[in-house]
Amino acid sequence: MRIFVYGSLRRKQGNSHWMTNAQWLGEHHVENYALYSLGHYPGVVAGEGSVVGEVYRIDASTLSELDALRTKGGEYKRQLIQTPYGSAWMYVYQRPVDGLTRIESGNWLDKEKY
């Protein structure tokens, strides 16, 4: 299975250690989503724009660990998207984004500019 990551799970980011056993497939832009800063990590919601991230091949164990990390408390919901590497899971933020800073570039690595 595959997963699209756009924030702290990306290479050289704070939670990249969760991807140690994953196989990097490449970068990808997901259309029709907007990226917001939640402080130390981001969230995406459906909207105008695109989000930059990375696609990985992962095993069921890694997906379970990521689900425990990302879906606790209902903050995110896993959604299937299409990528050049095949369908992949992406975590979509489930709470209101009113008052949060939008990262207009769609790239979490640009967060310091906003």
Side-chain angles (χ1 to χ4, degrees), residues 1-6 9 19 25 28 30 33 44 53-60 62-64 66-67 70-71 77-83 85-92:
M1 66 192 74
R2 287 166 294 279
I3 190 161
F4 173 79
V5 297
Y6 52 83
L9 294 170
M19 304 304 287
L25 298 176
H28 180 57
V30 177
Y33 286 90
V44 298
E54 301 165 353
V55 181
Y56 290 86
R57 184 180 316 280
I58 60 172
D59 59 21
T62 300
L63 185 62
S64 278
L66 294 175
D67 277 350
R70 291 288 177 232
T71 61
K77 181 178 179 184
R78 193 162 27 99
Q79 181 175 321
L80 205 55
I81 61 165
Q82 296 306 312
T83 78
Y85 312 99
S87 56
W89 293 110
M90 176 176 77
Y91 291 101
V92 178

Side-chain angles (χ1 to χ4, degrees), residues 8-100:
S8 65
L9 294 170
R10 289 173 67 180
R11 292 180 290 173
K12 300 180 183 174
Q13 296 302 300
N15 283 323
S16 62
H17 62 276
W18 289 95
M19 304 304 287
T20 302
N21 295 323
Q23 176 191 5
W24 186 78
L25 298 176
E27 294 186 359
H28 180 57
H29 291 73
V30 177
E31 299 296 327
N32 301 314
Y33 286 90
L35 181 71
Y36 286 86
S37 175
L38 307 177
H40 295 293
Y41 56 94
V44 298
V45 296
E48 289 186 20
S50 67
V51 175
V52 177
E54 301 165 353
V55 181
Y56 290 86
R57 184 180 316 280
I58 60 172
D59 59 21
S61 173
T62 300
L63 185 62
S64 278
E65 290 172 355
L66 294 175
D67 277 350
L69 177 71
R70 291 288 177 232
T71 61
K72 64 181 178 187
E75 191 173 27
Y76 293 89
K77 181 178 179 184
R78 193 162 27 99
Q79 181 175 321
L80 205 55
I81 61 165
Q82 296 306 312
T83 78
Y85 312 99
S87 56
W89 293 110
M90 176 176 77
Y91 291 101
V92 178
Y93 190 61
Q94 298 297 299
R95 296 186 178 149
V97 294
D98 300 337
L100 297 176

